[in-house]
Amino acid sequence: MNLKDHQKWLIDFYQQRHWYQYSPFIRLNFLTEETGELSRAIRAIEIGRDHPGEKQAGTSALRANLTEELADVLDQVLIISAKFGIDPETLLAQSEHKLQARFKDELKHRS
């Protein structure tokens, strides 16, 4: 599945659950929440969580949680981009264009 197909599937899924009607402003709050969960997943891998109420997770569980949280962040970005009519492929192209323009002199020296 590619980004466009996933975005279409996601929109359909969100519409069926009556989640799609939320504005981009509200979606930003959901993205912030998911980013916090991603932060917690990375912290657990990088420095651990010394919390007496939590059982220590194994490496595979930590990695599975990281993958899940990255996907949740991506889904929120795809929904927000759809709300503004921005194709996900445009996001990829914009990322490359911005970095290539910003670091063009550096990139020339590596070639």
Side-chain angles (χ1 to χ4, degrees):
M1 180 178 287
N2 63 38
L3 279 176
K4 281 184 182 184
D5 290 341
H6 181 65
Q7 185 184 48
K8 288 176 188 173
W9 179 89
L10 199 60
I11 291 167
D12 183 54
F13 180 82
Y14 274 45
Q15 286 172 336
Q16 288 178 29
R17 307 242 354 133
H18 305 288
W19 295 345
Y20 192 73
Q21 78 274 8
Y22 296 117
S23 72
F25 188 73
I26 291 173
R27 284 271 147 232
L28 181 59
N29 287 303
F30 294 152
L31 175 60
T32 301
E33 179 183 342
E34 295 300 346
T35 302
E37 291 173 9
L38 175 60
S39 176
R40 184 176 178 165
I42 291 172
R43 175 186 171 188
I45 291 171
E46 292 292 316
I47 63 173
R49 289 198 32 94
D50 186 14
H51 192 286
E54 292 181 10
K55 182 180 158 191
Q56 184 72 11
T59 303
S60 62
L62 292 171
R63 185 158 177 91
N65 183 245
L66 174 62
T67 302
E68 178 183 333
E69 298 307 340
L70 282 166
D72 289 347
V73 168
L74 177 62
D75 285 352
Q76 292 304 318
V77 169
L78 290 173
I79 291 294
I80 291 170
S81 70
K83 289 283 190 175
F84 286 104
I86 300 171
D87 182 271
E89 300 295 329
T90 302
L91 298 175
L92 299 178
Q94 178 61 34
S95 173
E96 287 185 26
H97 174 75
K98 178 179 85 173
L99 291 172
Q100 287 173 346
R102 187 176 290 168
F103 296 98
K104 64 183 172 196
D105 292 336
E106 219 176 282
L107 294 171
K108 284 181 191 175
H109 296 295
R110 290 185 184 175
S111 302

